[in-house]
Amino acid sequence: MWHIFTIIGPGAANTVLLTSISFAFGAVLAIPVTLATRSSFLLLRGVGRGLVEFVRSIPVLVWLFIVFFGLPQEGLSPSPLVAAIATLSVVSAVYLSEIYRGGIAAIDRGQWEASRALGFGRLDTGSRIVGPQVLRVVLPPVATYGIGLLKDSALASTIGVVELTYRANTETQLTGKGLTVDIIVGIIYLLIGLPLAVISRHVDSRLRAKFSLT
Amino acid sequence: MACLASHRSGESSNQRVLPTWWPSKRGPRVLSEKAAEPAVETQLAASHISKYFGGNKVLDDVSLNVRKGEVVSIIGPSGAGKSTFLRCINFLEVPYEGSVSLDTLTISVVNGKLRNSGKELAALRRKVGMVFQSFNLFPHLTAQRNITLPQERVLGRSRREAEQRALNLLRRVGLEAKAHSYPSQCSGGQQQRVAIARALALDPQVMLFDEPTSALDPEVGTEVLAVMRQLAEEGMTMLVVTHEMRFAQNVSDRVLVMVDGRIIEEGSPDIVLMAPQQERTRQFLKAVLRE
Amino acid sequence: MTSSVFSGWGQDLPELLRGLGVALQLTGLALVLGFPGGLLTALLVSRRNWLAKLVGLVIVEVGRGLPLLVLLYLVYQGLPQIHLSLTNFLSAVAAFAWSTAAYSSEMFRSSLNALPNGQREAALASGMGQVDTFRFVLLPQALRIAIPPLLNLAVQIFQATALAYVITVPEIMQHAYFLGTVSFLYLNVFLLAGVLYAAVTLPSSALIAVLERRLSRHTSV
């Protein structure tokens, strides 16, 4: 039975790769999206919000299919992995931008005002005063989203990325032992997500000790 | 000390006769008659109540016998255990040991475990009404429904009967107009009066008041205290934890002073509040009256 | 290029709408089973009895911790291993209901915990029993708090029905893929599918936001 681990185990590497790369891209891409949705230019804000609402209203699987099956129609033929990373990056950028937005809104307006009154410019206020506080506030929901992204990475199996769920499927088809395989795969997903939850709680309490008034 | 000088016995300005258009237990009573009341046997008895929070003994073997129709005020510094003691009487807090008897019903606790069934406990709670500092009205129900729900579910009264009684009680506390309002549409004082009506709807034999006016502005608190005073004059047995010294002085038959989980002084309001025996009581009163 | 991204939408739409019907059925059944299941699970998790707590926690942690796709496979491919087999539609219902129960149980639990203790105390102090207290005082208030997140969960479950494609349930994606294999205009048909999902999701989310504002009027929180 243990040989199952060695067969589907390598799939876990791809899962982690897929998740972390998409998450990294998404976390960075979310910043301009957030800024757009908070911009004072009506047009920019409208485009930003429109994009966010549109992307969120369509299931991730559908986006995956649009990118992987649909783009070749227009000349682009991404590999399964590239398609998966591109799609998940954009989707996570959109969802994370909403989390960032909530985090910024949660920081007391007084922080902005006090900082500007002291003479700090917009950029400095953003990066040195409000930014670190926003970081502390958004960390828990961002970590939760990260774990959610880990689970969404399973969808990549449907377009042929050889990650954990894909290998589980092939193994089930070979041996017919669907229950065993899926239980093991489930455990592996839980195990991968565990360190993320632990690290995030640890970092959160460190930041809390450094920064907060509460 | 002069502010507590208005007292009860004999002054004609204090003689009040209640209007008879609401049902009262013993008919119209004159306040000054209370002093001449013959001794009645115990109605409610709390015996040897002890409670621990963590390692601290917050109630240290507290016992109290209350006569029918008696109004007892419990005063003392914060953290003395007054509210905890009150909440032990209807077992919202379960003491480590002790018992509570109301007429023939006794509920007891040994080693932190209740010795009676849930049914018996519910029977006790039916006869003991409670009014909370934070009112605790059900916000999703109108004032009238707040009062009819316990009647229907606990006493099994019909919807019609419950509504009739609810309206009578609301009239009695002066809030008939608010029958179909939600708690969020009522002021604090109004909410507390509705809460009193809700507790009275079950025809309790004893009413417990846990700092009923502490969450209210002084002005607004007066409305509530007036209702409580009426209740007292009608002969309701009342146990009141309060910081309102004037109420304790004018309306109670007995005042208890609790400090550090124990009753350190007990007696008629005139003595306890005007000429206390214990130094600790004197300390407490001096601090309170500084306001 | 003569064909645009929208061509073929007219012919594809009727078939996709059939898929939408199945998706909505799937969602409805998952919620009808999953929400009460979630409430029960929330109560299980809150009990002091260790066995009840364990069962509840397993339902929640597995239902939430595993990717929905794996849950689907688990029910569809896994059960036959122990000689239990459900049709693909029922497997999908079971998996989605489990997921709904897992996520909604946390919403029920936190909404019940958000209520002030005084509510329970006032009800008990009048002699009301535990069941009556829960039914008339606690649950109505908890629902007012929980309904917006629960409805958002419902919308997410609807979106998740796209996954049922992998076990060949004839919902939207299944039809879309088939149409794509015929016309080779995959982009067109999947975009149309996306629009269908958005057409249900966007108005629903807007309505939920309105409901949320109205509900926060009569709460003690």
Side-chain angles (χ1 to χ4, degrees):
Chain A
M1 201 255 297
W2 292 108
H3 84 283
I4 291 183
F5 267 112
T6 53
I7 294 193
I8 57 182
N14 264 344
T15 291
V16 172
L17 189 76
L18 178 57
T19 308
S20 16
I21 296 181
S22 307
F23 186 73
F25 277 134
V28 170
L29 280 171
I31 299 178
V33 177
T34 309
L35 292 175
T37 54
R38 282 178 51 95
S39 152
S40 22
F41 290 120
L42 190 62
L43 188 64
L44 194 57
R45 200 164 65 232
V47 167
R49 276 236 63 80
L51 180 74
V52 168
E53 289 303 316
F54 184 55
V55 170
R56 281 194 341 164
S57 65
I58 296 179
V60 180
L61 185 71
V62 180
W63 282 121
L64 266 174
F65 277 29
I66 288 177
V67 170
F68 183 68
F69 292 112
L71 286 190
Q73 197 180 310
E74 303 292 324
L76 274 169
S77 285
S79 76
L81 188 61
V82 168
I85 291 180
T87 312
L88 288 178
S89 302
V90 172
V91 168
S92 55
V94 163
Y95 281 97
L96 284 173
S97 84
E98 286 293 280
I99 296 179
Y100 291 173
R101 226 164 56 96
I104 295 179
I107 300 299
D108 186 11
R109 235 196 128 38
Q111 295 288 312
W112 276 98
E113 291 170 350
S115 168
R116 297 301 298 277
L118 285 169
F120 281 102
R122 246 124 142 266
L123 193 63
D124 266 349
T125 306
S127 58
R128 285 165 173 275
I129 310 287
V130 178
Q133 296 184 55
V134 173
L135 185 68
R136 199 212 87 226
V137 167
V138 298
L139 203 61
V142 163
T144 307
Y145 183 77
I147 296 180
L149 193 62
L150 174 67
K151 291 185 282 173
D152 280 344
S153 71
L155 296 175
S157 66
T158 60
I159 59 173
V161 176
V162 182
E163 43 71 77
L164 199 50
T165 308
Y166 187 92
R167 288 195 146 270
N169 248 346
T170 47
E171 186 66 14
T172 307
Q173 273 154 19
L174 270 174
T175 65
K177 290 203 159 94
L179 194 63
T180 323
V181 169
D182 290 329
I183 288 181
I184 292 178
V185 162
I187 294 176
I188 296 181
Y189 271 107
L190 287 172
L191 286 176
I192 299 177
L194 208 63
L196 187 65
V198 167
I199 293 178
S200 95
R201 208 169 303 155
H202 182 72
V203 175
D204 180 52
S205 51
R206 296 286 301 278
L207 283 179
R208 215 176 267 277
K210 255 182 112 177
F211 282 127
S212 37
L213 290 166
T214 47
Chain B
M1 287 289 183
C3 59
L4 289 179
S6 70
H7 53 90
R8 305 173 305 140
S9 38
E11 280 189 5
S12 54
S13 59
N14 274 345
Q15 265 194 350
R16 290 187 46 196
V17 176
L18 299 171
T20 51
W21 50 263
W22 61 55
S24 80
K25 280 209 192 124
R26 304 200 226 143
R29 298 182 59 214
V30 178
L31 199 52
S32 58
E33 278 176 15
K34 270 193 144 194
E37 190 85 6
V40 183
E41 45 190 67
T42 301
Q43 181 189 29
L44 173 75
S47 314
H48 304 292
I49 307 277
S50 288
K51 184 160 176 75
Y52 297 86
F53 268 148
N56 299 330
K57 195 163 195 178
V58 293
L59 288 177
D60 192 354
D61 198 32
V62 182
S63 296
L64 175 66
N65 289 347
V66 183
R67 297 190 309 273
K68 186 162 175 159
E70 194 180 2
V71 176
V72 179
S73 289
I74 306 180
I75 64 174
S78 311
K82 317 187 291 294
S83 286
T84 312
F85 175 61
L86 202 73
R87 289 154 61 89
C88 281
I89 294 187
N90 65 354
F91 294 90
L92 279 183
E93 304 267 3
V94 178
Y96 183 70
E97 60 189 3
S99 66
V100 173
S101 306
L102 180 62
D103 289 338
T104 52
L105 183 61
T106 303
I107 308 282
S108 49
V109 182
V110 173
N111 279 343
K113 291 236 148 177
L114 208 61
R115 308 278 311 207
N116 302 73
S117 68
K119 265 187 144 172
E120 294 175 307
L121 185 56
L124 176 72
R125 286 172 170 169
R126 228 174 289 151
K127 305 188 193 168
V128 176
M130 186 159 204
V131 175
F132 300 84
Q133 180 176 352
S134 48
F135 334 136
N136 291 339
L137 286 180
F138 306 137
H140 58 299
L141 305 174
T142 61
Q144 184 179 34
R145 188 79 184 110
N146 258 272
I147 302 175
T148 59
L149 180 69
Q151 290 182 72
E152 288 173 34
R153 301 307 301 182
V154 177
L155 297 179
R157 287 183 184 152
S158 73
R159 187 64 172 255
R160 189 104 65 72
E161 190 190 355
E163 283 179 355
Q164 192 54 46
R165 283 174 183 259
L167 283 173
N168 283 342
L169 284 164
L170 283 171
R171 203 176 298 136
R172 189 165 156 187
V173 298
L175 288 174
E176 194 178 0
K178 287 277 184 179
H180 299 289
S181 302
Y182 286 91
S184 57
Q185 298 164 323
C186 302
S187 73
Q190 291 170 336
Q191 288 187 50
Q192 192 62 301
R193 285 186 277 157
V194 174
I196 295 176
R198 179 176 65 176
L200 289 174
L202 298 177
D203 293 327
Q205 295 175 17
V206 177
M207 284 281 279
L208 305 178
F209 291 83
D210 188 359
E211 299 200 34
T213 55
S214 294
L216 301 169
D217 289 337
E219 267 180 39
V220 169
T222 329
E223 324 169 334
V224 174
L225 291 169
V227 171
M228 289 167 66
R229 189 180 180 131
Q230 282 166 0
L231 261 180
E233 289 170 10
E234 288 160 20
M236 173 65 77
T237 311
M238 293 164 60
L239 211 52
V240 184
V241 171
T242 186
H243 294 299
E244 297 279 350
M245 295 306 158
R246 217 167 308 205
F247 178 87
Q249 172 85 7
N250 296 351
V251 185
S252 340
D253 299 309
R254 202 180 356 156
V255 173
L256 263 54
V257 183
M258 273 187 82
V259 175
D260 293 333
R262 258 182 270 122
I263 301 176
I264 62 166
E265 187 149 0
E266 179 174 351
S268 86
D270 293 325
I271 297 180
V272 173
L273 295 171
M274 308 271 280
Q277 312 281 311
Q278 301 287 333
E279 175 56 37
R280 187 70 184 82
T281 313
R282 273 187 281 255
Q283 252 184 347
F284 169 68
L285 288 172
K286 213 192 299 178
V288 167
L289 295 170
R290 198 181 299 144
E291 296 173 12
Chain C
M1 291 235 257
T2 50
S3 65
S4 79
V5 139
F6 302 110
S7 69
W9 276 25
Q11 296 107 295
D12 294 340
L13 189 60
E15 192 158 339
L16 287 191
L17 282 178
R18 242 171 295 165
L20 178 60
V22 173
L24 288 172
Q25 275 177 28
L26 189 48
T27 308
L29 282 172
L31 297 179
V32 160
L33 291 173
F35 281 150
L39 183 59
L40 278 171
T41 309
L43 294 174
L44 276 176
V45 169
S46 311
R47 291 202 78 74
R48 260 165 270 166
N49 178 337
W50 70 269
L51 185 62
K53 226 187 183 93
L54 188 65
V55 170
L57 282 175
V58 165
I59 295 178
V60 173
E61 292 307 318
V62 171
R64 286 197 318 170
L66 261 52
L68 192 43
L69 198 58
V70 176
L71 265 178
L72 261 173
Y73 286 134
L74 186 65
V75 175
Y76 186 63
Q77 300 169 332
L79 290 188
Q81 195 178 328
I82 52 174
H83 307 297
L84 256 175
S85 54
L86 297 169
T87 67
N88 46 8
F89 185 77
L90 286 178
S91 303
V93 170
F96 287 125
W98 189 349
S99 183
T100 307
Y103 283 102
S104 64
S105 87
E106 279 303 290
M107 293 167 186
F108 285 121
R109 224 167 55 86
S110 65
S111 66
L112 281 167
N113 282 337
L115 300 178
N117 281 334
Q119 289 297 304
R120 198 164 162 269
E121 287 180 354
L124 290 176
S126 352
M128 279 173 83
Q130 300 270 20
V131 174
D132 275 355
T133 302
F134 186 72
R135 186 175 148 203
F136 291 98
V137 177
L138 298 178
L139 189 59
Q141 294 186 59
L143 281 180
R144 268 172 183 71
I145 301 174
I147 280 184
L150 287 175
L151 289 177
N152 280 322
L153 178 62
V155 172
Q156 285 173 333
I157 294 289
F158 167 70
Q159 294 205 332
T161 56
L163 271 68
Y165 148 83
V166 304
I167 58 175
T168 61
V169 171
E171 42 71 61
I172 301 179
M173 295 308 285
Q174 174 82 336
H175 286 282
Y177 189 78
F178 176 70
L179 287 170
T181 57
V182 168
S183 70
F184 290 104
L185 293 177
Y186 287 107
L187 186 61
N188 300 25
V189 70
F190 285 136
L191 269 177
L192 179 60
V195 165
L196 273 183
Y197 279 107
V200 173
T201 305
L202 285 173
S204 307
S205 301
L207 280 174
I208 295 173
V210 169
L211 186 64
E212 196 169 1
R213 268 192 294 271
R214 290 194 64 202
L215 275 179
S216 55
R217 256 194 270 150
H218 295 309
T219 51
S220 53
V221 177

